[in-house]
């Protein structure tokens, strides 16, 4: 079986680890976790029932090194593991480019950059996978296996990864606001808060599932629920009057602009 080293096992590293263990993609005895101190590594390893790494030296033998630290810690981690000549490195750090990952690692290292999102923690993630110039097909397939175990994935260019960062990466944030706003609307018209939240969340979840499972364009599905002169079209009209579509489009574009600005583009 493959040996895996995870550097940084916080929210996202932990979600990937739990998902891969739950789906049987990885075995506990093959996984090593490295945090910023030996004590922290041991605590995280105990939480997931895997091994703790003290110095990251497992990178030498590992078939996969997953970097899941905050972006500002990545240069330090690249420096730390380079001495072990890792063969395959996958980074999920936002805004850390393939170029900077490749420049920070030995020249033969295969590199892949991934933009996941937090619903990966409940098996409903959406991940963008951008392979570096030296990434082999088998490494790309391995990355796809990991992220399809946590939801959906797509292999894309690095630019598309940035664009998907503004859509699906940040998307759970937008979705939580939309669910909260719909629940507020429910309370406004008289529903109890708990029921309104459940109804709003389940409705978006169900509608999303219909789009994904039928393969139909959302416009076609919306047509099916808007009878002429009916109540739903009256609701949509009022929302469009307030610029619902434009607000969402502006929001995604603002997110990408901010990410480009932070990356110095
Ligand atoms: N969360 C998301 O929605 C999301 C989505 C897409 C991409 N990402 C990317 O995923 C990465 C991790 O984000 P996160 O939300 O999982 O952050 P997080 O919960 O803070 O996890 C980072 C982990 O790395 C540990 N760490 C800090 N310094 C370290 C070092 N030198 N060596 C090893 N481990 C170290 C942290 O320990 P301490 O807490 O003790 O410092 C923590 O356990 C980020 O680069 C982020 O851009 C996150």
């Amino acid at each position: 079986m493959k040996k895996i080293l995870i550097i940084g096992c916080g929210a996202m590293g932990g979600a990937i680890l739990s998902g891969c263990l739950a789906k049987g993609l990885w075995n506990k005895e093959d996984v090593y976790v490295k945090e910023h101190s030996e004590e922290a590594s041991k605590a995280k390893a105990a939480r997931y029932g895997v091994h703790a790494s003290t110095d990251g030296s497992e990178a030498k033998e590992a078939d996969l090194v997953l970097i899941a630290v905050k972006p500002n810690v990545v240069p330090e981690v690249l420096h730390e593991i380079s001495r072990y000549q890792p063969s395959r490195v996958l980074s999920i750090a936002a805004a850390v480019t393939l170029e900077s990952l490749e420049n920070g690692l030995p020249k033969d290292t295969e590199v892949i950059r991934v933009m996941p999102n937090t619903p990966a923690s409940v098996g409903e993630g959406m991940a963008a996978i951008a392979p570096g110039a030296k990434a082999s097909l088998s490494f790309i397939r391995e990355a796809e296996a990991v992220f399809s175990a946590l939801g959906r994935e797509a292999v894309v260019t690095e630019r598309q990864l940035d664009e998907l960062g503004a859509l699906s990466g940040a998307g759970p944030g937008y979705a939580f606001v939309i669910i909260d706003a719909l629940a507020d609307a429910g309370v406004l018209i008289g529903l109890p808060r708990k029921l309104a939240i459940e109804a709003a969340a389940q409705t978006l979840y169900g509608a999303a599932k219909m789009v994904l499972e039928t393969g139909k364009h959302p416009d076609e599905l919306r047509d099916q629920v808007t009878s002429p002169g009916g109540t739903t079209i009256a609701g949509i009209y009022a929302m469009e009057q307030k610029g619902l579509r434009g607000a969402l489009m502006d929001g995604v574009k603002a997110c990408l602009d901010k990410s480009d600005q932070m990356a110095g583009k």
Side-chain angles (χ1 to χ4, degrees), residues 86-90 102 105-112 132 134-140:
S87 54
R88 290 176 168 183
V89 171
L90 190 155
E102 285 170 345
L105 288 163
K107 72 172 175 41
D108 292 331
T109 308
E110 295 181 45
V111 176
I112 289 183
K134 280 166 264 167
S136 62
L137 193 59
S138 73
F139 187 22
I140 298 168

Side-chain angles (χ1 to χ4, degrees), residues 7-13 34-36 44 68-71 73 76 92-94 115-116 118:
I7 305 183
C9 195
M12 197 49 79
K34 165 121 175 45
E35 285 278 298
H36 61 277
K44 281 287 164 68
V69 293
K70 292 285 187 198
V73 185
E76 175 190 326
I92 61 163
M115 172 61 68
T118 50

Side-chain angles (χ1 to χ4, degrees), residues 127-211:
I129 299 173
K134 280 166 264 167
S136 62
L137 193 59
S138 73
F139 187 22
I140 298 168
R141 293 283 171 268
E142 193 178 347
E144 287 193 273
V146 167
F147 290 94
S148 59
L150 305 167
R152 288 173 183 258
E153 49 75 25
V155 177
V156 297
T157 64
E158 190 168 32
R159 183 58 185 159
Q160 288 173 327
L161 179 145
D162 290 335
E163 291 161 354
L164 281 166
L167 179 60
S168 50
Y174 315 145
F176 296 135
V177 171
I178 293 168
I179 290 169
D180 192 34
L182 284 174
D184 264 352
V187 172
L188 179 70
I189 59 176
L191 289 167
R193 170 75 58 188
K194 194 162 174 282
L195 179 59
I197 292 173
E198 184 184 3
Q202 175 63 21
T203 301
L204 288 194
Y205 186 56
K209 205 166 176 180
M210 282 179 76
V211 172

Side-chain angles (χ1 to χ4, degrees), residues 96-124:
V96 180
T97 62
L98 282 168
E99 188 184 11
S100 60
L101 291 166
E102 285 170 345
N103 287 342
L105 288 163
K107 72 172 175 41
D108 292 331
T109 308
E110 295 181 45
V111 176
I112 289 183
R113 197 183 149 200
V114 175
M115 172 61 68
N117 68 6
T118 50
S121 63
V122 292
E124 295 291 353

